[in-house]
Every structure is written in C-alpha cells, then in structure tokens.
Amino acid sequence: MKKISLHKTVLIQLIMVGFIPVLLAGYLWVSSERSKFEKEIALQRNTYIDTQKNILKWETTRALAFVNYMRSQTEARLKGHTKERVLEAHAIATNIYQQNIGDKSVAQIKEMIKNALRPIRFKQGRGYFFAFDLNGIETLFPVKPELEGKSMLTVTGGDGELVVPDMISIVNKHGQGFYKYKWSKPGEKGFFPKIAFVKAFKPLGWVIGTG
C-alpha cells in the first residue's frame, strides 16, 4: 500500500511539474492576447476620435463658409437698399430745389427739403435720412434735432472714427459712396455696426445719406 501511495505521489508531482509550464504558458498567452486586444481597442478609439474631430472640423468650416456667404449676400442687399433710399431722397431734394429756386430764397428751400425728408422712416422705423454741409454742420438729424446747426466734425463713432469728416472725404473724392462705422440706434443703448450711403447735393453744398 505504501508503494502504491508513493507511486501516486510521484505521479502527481510529475503531473504538477508538467502542468505548471503549461499553466504559465497559458497565462502568458492570455496576457499577450489581452494586451493586443487593449491596444487594438485603444487604436480604434483614437481612430474614431480623430475621425469625429475631422468631421466636426469639416462641418464647422462648412458652416462658417455658409455664414460668410449669407453675410455677404445680406450686406449686398443692405447696400443696395440703402443706396436706393438715398437716391430717392436726392431726387426729392433736387425736385424741390428746381421747382422753387426762382421763387423762394435758398433758406426757404432748405427748410422745404428738410421738412420733406424729416418724417420719412423705413426699416421698421429705424431708418431715417440725415444731412450736413461740407463744413460738417448738421442740417438734418431727425432722431436728434438738437444737434442741427452744430458742427459734427469732432463727433466719433463707436470705434473712435470721425464719421462726418470721413463721409465728407468720400463725397469730395467720388461724389457718393458707402461708409462703414458704428453708431447708436434710436431708443437703444450702445453702438452698432452700420453701413451708410452718402451722396453730395451740390446745389446746397450738402451731403445726404442714410445708414
């Protein structure tokens, strides 16, 4: 019986000695495969993140391009509308001047033109006409009539720009043109981007415009 037990013990020991390397090899293989799996998962995750970043970047670029396109279209429409309004005001002033220059004084004609343009509103009531002479004296400012008769040469816009001198420079060089600046809105605080169109009214030495 002791011999049989001894043989069993030896056999078990031999089996254990042979099993341990197999177990160790299996463990190493599992660890290696797990490491490969984790690396593959990490690679797939990084690839996915990079792909999403590229998609987001492309979509953002596309959205910005669309916004810029719409902005340019809006600005073009605003410029066209603004110019049309000033040309209408210029036509009104020209007609009043031509119809009355032989019968009324220049001072009377000026008042007639101002009275014709002063009440006109557009762009949901925000738009109005303004006028000043080539010396920078305000002649028509419907939203701030207290400034009429005063010099606007030193009045600055939201970015410190000398608005009236700049506009005078435009009409002196080209007779008319667009001007970008920042100005206040009726009934609102602060300054807002504006695009004005101004045109010289030569019979009275005025500049007529709207923004």
Side-chain angles (χ1 to χ4, degrees):
M1 294 295 293
K2 288 183 179 181
K3 287 183 179 180
I4 294 173
S5 297
L6 180 59
H7 288 312
K8 286 183 177 181
T9 301
V10 172
L11 182 61
I12 291 172
Q13 290 177 346
L14 290 173
I15 292 173
M16 291 300 296
V17 169
F19 180 72
I20 289 174
V22 173
L23 182 63
L24 181 59
Y27 173 77
L28 293 175
W29 179 82
V30 170
S31 297
S32 176
E33 290 300 312
R34 181 179 179 181
S35 178
K36 290 180 182 179
F37 177 75
E38 289 176 348
K39 288 180 180 179
E40 185 176 344
I41 291 297
L43 179 61
Q44 291 179 357
R45 181 172 61 248
N46 291 336
T47 301
Y48 174 79
I49 292 173
D50 290 341
T51 301
Q52 293 302 308
K53 285 181 178 179
N54 290 332
I55 292 174
L56 180 60
K57 183 178 180 180
W58 181 79
E59 291 289 351
T60 301
T61 302
R62 183 182 178 189
L64 288 174
F66 178 74
V67 168
N68 289 332
Y69 170 77
M70 293 303 296
R71 182 180 296 166
S72 67
Q73 294 299 304
T74 299
E75 184 172 320
R77 288 194 297 270
L78 286 174
K79 281 185 173 182
H81 181 76
T82 302
K83 182 177 180 178
E84 287 176 5
R85 285 294 187 175
V86 173
L87 294 180
E88 290 172 3
H90 192 276
I92 291 171
T94 299
N95 184 64
I96 293 174
Y97 181 84
Q98 291 176 347
Q99 292 295 320
N100 295 279
I101 189 60
D103 301 321
K104 293 181 173 60
S105 67
V106 173
Q108 288 176 317
I109 294 175
K110 287 181 178 180
E111 286 302 314
M112 293 174 68
I113 293 174
K114 289 195 293 183
N115 290 336
L117 298 181
R118 188 184 301 279
I120 298 176
R121 294 291 185 276
F122 41 92
K123 296 177 184 175
Q124 293 77 47
R126 299 192 306 273
Y128 57 88
F129 294 115
F130 59 79
F132 49 84
D133 65 24
L134 294 175
N135 294 316
I137 304 300
E138 195 74 45
T139 58
L140 176 65
F141 203 170
V143 296
K144 292 183 179 180
E146 67 274 11
L147 295 179
E148 293 178 9
K150 298 182 179 180
S151 175
M152 298 289 286
L153 293 178
T154 59
V155 177
T156 58
D159 289 332
E161 62 273 47
L162 293 170
V163 177
V164 170
D166 289 346
M167 291 181 176
I168 292 174
S169 178
I170 289 173
V171 297
N172 282 338
K173 291 179 180 178
H174 310 290
Q176 63 183 32
F178 291 99
Y179 178 66
K180 291 184 178 182
Y181 61 111
K182 288 187 178 179
W183 201 252
S184 58
K185 288 183 181 180
E188 297 187 37
K189 295 181 179 180
F191 293 90
F192 303 85
K194 297 193 76 171
I195 300 175
F197 185 81
V198 290
K199 182 175 177 63
F201 184 63
K202 294 181 179 180
L204 298 180
W206 282 7
V207 177
I208 298 175
T210 189

